[in-house]
Amino acid sequence: MKRVSFVQTVPIFGEVERNLMRVERLLPRDSDLVVLPELFNTGYLLLNKEELLKLAEPIDGITGRFLAKFSKEHGTSIVAGLPEKSKNGIYNSAMVIDETGDLVGVYRKTHLFGREKLLFRPGDTGFRVFNLSGMRVGVLICFDWIFPEASRVLALDGAEVLAHPANLVLPYAQSAMLTRSIENRVFTVTANRSGEDDRCVEKLEFTGASQITSPDMRILVRAPERGEYVGTAEIDPRDARNKKITEQNDLWMDRRPEFYGRIMRR
Ligand code: ACM
């Protein structure tokens, strides 16, 4: 059995060090995998590229080093969202750290939401599955949820758990992720934030209700809509390898990809 957790945060916009200190107090010490929200270190509502440039960090910056240290000390794998400064530009990314504290990769958000399109480069990593604490973990970021192809590709590539850092503003994803769970028979861990980013000229409110769902479409734990919260579930990742829905139906064996070609075209 494995312990998987989300940390639901209420960040203060632009206050990276304070946000990291707060997260340090919240992080569970006994989990195999912890998922943190999208852009958890900075807050979400960036007004322009100048702000983004100031707040973005390389993967091995202060945020990456802080999480790697925690991971190494506690033997915890971590998936966490941040604005990633790379030599090609700035991406809305999730860093992936294994249970030894090694930064094993990054996922760059494929489907940018709203004004993110004006700020970030579209992700170029594709969907990736990582070996973390003896689990196969695929990564999505927030709005990727609305494209079932994203979860499907990860599940077909062997993901048992979908780690889903989020800053959700629409009210649909929590229900939709239950569907992603049953249609792929995988666990999902959505780490959402709560509270609001009030930037005077614009304000956004986030929906909280972070959750962990199971391959048989159950909510194993769900946070309240408001406030910080740490949710943990004990899971057996092997449950996600069984794709049987009935005695006669196996999700993978029953697929008819010869009829799905339309999905590959615009
Ligand atoms: C979102 O993708 N942050 C809604």
Short mmCIF file of all heavy atoms in Angstrom, two decimals, residues 131-156:
data_model
loop_
_atom_site.label_atom_id
_atom_site.label_comp_id
_atom_site.label_asym_id
_atom_site.label_seq_id
_atom_site.Cartn_x
_atom_site.Cartn_y
_atom_site.Cartn_z
N ASN A 131 8.45 7.10 -12.62
CA ASN A 131 8.48 6.09 -11.55
C ASN A 131 8.75 6.81 -10.24
O ASN A 131 9.85 7.31 -10.02
CB ASN A 131 9.60 5.07 -11.80
CG ASN A 131 9.28 4.19 -12.99
OD1 ASN A 131 8.15 3.72 -13.14
ND2 ASN A 131 10.26 4.01 -13.86
N LEU A 132 7.74 6.87 -9.39
CA LEU A 132 7.89 7.60 -8.12
C LEU A 132 7.45 6.70 -6.97
O LEU A 132 6.29 6.24 -6.95
CB LEU A 132 7.03 8.87 -8.13
CG LEU A 132 7.30 9.91 -9.23
CD1 LEU A 132 6.32 11.07 -9.12
CD2 LEU A 132 8.74 10.42 -9.16
N SER A 133 8.34 6.45 -6.03
CA SER A 133 8.01 5.67 -4.83
C SER A 133 7.30 4.36 -5.17
O SER A 133 6.34 3.96 -4.51
CB SER A 133 7.11 6.49 -3.89
OG SER A 133 7.69 7.72 -3.55
N GLY A 134 7.74 3.70 -6.24
CA GLY A 134 7.13 2.41 -6.62
C GLY A 134 5.78 2.54 -7.29
O GLY A 134 5.05 1.55 -7.39
N MET A 135 5.45 3.73 -7.75
CA MET A 135 4.20 3.94 -8.51
C MET A 135 4.54 4.52 -9.87
O MET A 135 5.53 5.22 -10.02
CB MET A 135 3.29 4.94 -7.77
CG MET A 135 2.73 4.42 -6.48
SD MET A 135 1.83 5.71 -5.58
CE MET A 135 3.17 6.52 -4.71
N ARG A 136 3.66 4.26 -10.84
CA ARG A 136 3.79 4.92 -12.15
C ARG A 136 2.86 6.12 -12.13
O ARG A 136 1.64 5.97 -12.01
CB ARG A 136 3.38 3.94 -13.26
CG ARG A 136 4.23 2.67 -13.30
CD ARG A 136 5.44 2.80 -14.18
NE ARG A 136 5.06 2.98 -15.57
CZ ARG A 136 5.84 3.58 -16.48
NH1 ARG A 136 7.01 4.07 -16.12
NH2 ARG A 136 5.44 3.69 -17.73
N VAL A 137 3.46 7.31 -12.20
CA VAL A 137 2.70 8.55 -11.99
C VAL A 137 2.75 9.42 -13.25
O VAL A 137 3.82 9.81 -13.71
CB VAL A 137 3.27 9.34 -10.78
CG1 VAL A 137 2.49 10.64 -10.57
CG2 VAL A 137 3.22 8.47 -9.52
N GLY A 138 1.57 9.70 -13.82
CA GLY A 138 1.46 10.61 -14.96
C GLY A 138 1.08 11.99 -14.46
O GLY A 138 0.44 12.13 -13.41
N VAL A 139 1.46 13.02 -15.20
CA VAL A 139 1.25 14.40 -14.73
C VAL A 139 0.40 15.19 -15.72
O VAL A 139 0.65 15.18 -16.94
CB VAL A 139 2.60 15.12 -14.50
CG1 VAL A 139 2.36 16.51 -13.91
CG2 VAL A 139 3.50 14.30 -13.58
N LEU A 140 -0.60 15.88 -15.17
CA LEU A 140 -1.44 16.84 -15.90
C LEU A 140 -1.39 18.13 -15.13
O LEU A 140 -1.17 18.11 -13.91
CB LEU A 140 -2.91 16.41 -15.86
CG LEU A 140 -3.35 15.08 -16.44
CD1 LEU A 140 -4.79 14.83 -16.05
CD2 LEU A 140 -3.21 15.13 -17.94
N ILE A 141 -1.65 19.26 -15.78
CA ILE A 141 -1.82 20.50 -15.02
C ILE A 141 -3.19 21.09 -15.34
O ILE A 141 -3.55 21.31 -16.50
CB ILE A 141 -0.71 21.53 -15.34
CG1 ILE A 141 0.66 20.95 -14.95
CG2 ILE A 141 -0.95 22.84 -14.60
CD1 ILE A 141 1.85 21.87 -15.24
N CYS A 142 -3.93 21.34 -14.30
CA CYS A 142 -5.22 22.02 -14.31
C CYS A 142 -6.06 21.78 -15.56
O CYS A 142 -6.58 20.70 -15.76
CB CYS A 142 -5.01 23.51 -14.02
SG CYS A 142 -6.49 24.24 -13.27
N PHE A 143 -6.15 22.77 -16.46
CA PHE A 143 -7.09 22.72 -17.59
C PHE A 143 -6.89 21.53 -18.52
O PHE A 143 -7.78 21.20 -19.31
CB PHE A 143 -6.99 24.04 -18.36
CG PHE A 143 -8.10 24.29 -19.34
CD1 PHE A 143 -9.44 24.23 -18.96
CD2 PHE A 143 -7.81 24.61 -20.67
CE1 PHE A 143 -10.46 24.47 -19.87
CE2 PHE A 143 -8.84 24.86 -21.58
CZ PHE A 143 -10.16 24.79 -21.18
N ASP A 144 -5.74 20.85 -18.40
CA ASP A 144 -5.56 19.61 -19.16
C ASP A 144 -6.71 18.63 -18.88
O ASP A 144 -6.95 17.72 -19.67
CB ASP A 144 -4.24 18.93 -18.79
CG ASP A 144 -2.99 19.61 -19.36
OD1 ASP A 144 -3.06 20.20 -20.45
OD2 ASP A 144 -1.93 19.52 -18.70
N TRP A 145 -7.39 18.80 -17.73
CA TRP A 145 -8.45 17.86 -17.36
C TRP A 145 -9.55 17.76 -18.41
O TRP A 145 -10.19 16.72 -18.56
CB TRP A 145 -9.07 18.22 -16.00
CG TRP A 145 -9.90 19.49 -16.01
CD1 TRP A 145 -9.47 20.73 -15.64
CD2 TRP A 145 -11.28 19.65 -16.38
NE1 TRP A 145 -10.48 21.64 -15.79
CE2 TRP A 145 -11.60 21.01 -16.23
CE3 TRP A 145 -12.27 18.78 -16.83
CZ2 TRP A 145 -12.87 21.52 -16.52
CZ3 TRP A 145 -13.53 19.29 -17.12
CH2 TRP A 145 -13.82 20.65 -16.96
N ILE A 146 -9.80 18.89 -19.13
CA ILE A 146 -10.98 18.90 -20.01
C ILE A 146 -10.72 18.17 -21.33
O ILE A 146 -11.65 17.94 -22.11
CB ILE A 146 -11.48 20.34 -20.25
CG1 ILE A 146 -12.99 20.32 -20.53
CG2 ILE A 146 -10.75 21.03 -21.39
CD1 ILE A 146 -13.64 21.71 -20.48
N PHE A 147 -9.48 17.78 -21.56
CA PHE A 147 -9.12 17.03 -22.76
C PHE A 147 -8.91 15.57 -22.34
O PHE A 147 -7.85 15.23 -21.81
CB PHE A 147 -7.86 17.61 -23.40
CG PHE A 147 -8.05 19.05 -23.79
CD1 PHE A 147 -7.76 20.08 -22.91
CD2 PHE A 147 -8.60 19.37 -25.04
CE1 PHE A 147 -7.99 21.40 -23.25
CE2 PHE A 147 -8.82 20.69 -25.38
CZ PHE A 147 -8.53 21.71 -24.49
N PRO A 148 -9.89 14.71 -22.57
CA PRO A 148 -9.76 13.33 -22.09
C PRO A 148 -8.58 12.61 -22.73
O PRO A 148 -8.06 11.65 -22.16
CB PRO A 148 -11.09 12.67 -22.48
CG PRO A 148 -11.74 13.59 -23.45
CD PRO A 148 -11.18 14.95 -23.23
N GLU A 149 -8.14 13.13 -23.89
CA GLU A 149 -6.98 12.50 -24.56
C GLU A 149 -5.74 12.53 -23.67
O GLU A 149 -4.91 11.62 -23.72
CB GLU A 149 -6.66 13.24 -25.87
CG GLU A 149 -7.74 13.20 -26.93
CD GLU A 149 -8.76 14.34 -26.79
OE1 GLU A 149 -8.82 15.00 -25.72
OE2 GLU A 149 -9.51 14.57 -27.76
N ALA A 150 -5.61 13.60 -22.87
CA ALA A 150 -4.40 13.75 -22.04
C ALA A 150 -4.33 12.62 -21.01
O ALA A 150 -3.30 11.93 -20.90
CB ALA A 150 -4.43 15.12 -21.35
N SER A 151 -5.41 12.42 -20.28
CA SER A 151 -5.43 11.34 -19.28
C SER A 151 -5.30 9.98 -19.95
O SER A 151 -4.65 9.07 -19.43
CB SER A 151 -6.74 11.37 -18.49
OG SER A 151 -6.88 12.61 -17.83
N ARG A 152 -5.92 9.85 -21.11
CA ARG A 152 -5.91 8.57 -21.82
C ARG A 152 -4.50 8.17 -22.22
O ARG A 152 -4.07 7.03 -22.04
CB ARG A 152 -6.80 8.67 -23.07
CG ARG A 152 -6.97 7.38 -23.79
CD ARG A 152 -7.59 6.32 -22.90
NE ARG A 152 -8.68 5.67 -23.57
CZ ARG A 152 -9.64 5.02 -22.94
NH1 ARG A 152 -9.64 4.91 -21.63
NH2 ARG A 152 -10.60 4.43 -23.60
N VAL A 153 -3.76 9.15 -22.78
CA VAL A 153 -2.39 8.87 -23.21
C VAL A 153 -1.56 8.44 -22.00
O VAL A 153 -0.80 7.46 -22.06
CB VAL A 153 -1.77 10.12 -23.89
CG1 VAL A 153 -0.27 10.01 -24.01
CG2 VAL A 153 -2.40 10.32 -25.26
N LEU A 154 -1.72 9.14 -20.89
CA LEU A 154 -0.95 8.78 -19.68
C LEU A 154 -1.32 7.38 -19.20
O LEU A 154 -0.45 6.58 -18.84
CB LEU A 154 -1.20 9.81 -18.57
CG LEU A 154 -0.59 11.20 -18.82
CD1 LEU A 154 -1.12 12.20 -17.81
CD2 LEU A 154 0.94 11.15 -18.78
N ALA A 155 -2.62 7.08 -19.20
CA ALA A 155 -3.05 5.75 -18.73
C ALA A 155 -2.54 4.66 -19.68
O ALA A 155 -2.05 3.61 -19.23
CB ALA A 155 -4.57 5.70 -18.62
N LEU A 156 -2.60 4.91 -20.99
CA LEU A 156 -2.10 3.91 -21.95
C LEU A 156 -0.60 3.71 -21.79
O LEU A 156 -0.08 2.63 -22.05
CB LEU A 156 -2.43 4.34 -23.39
CG LEU A 156 -3.89 4.19 -23.80
CD1 LEU A 156 -4.13 4.85 -25.16
CD2 LEU A 156 -4.31 2.72 -23.85
#
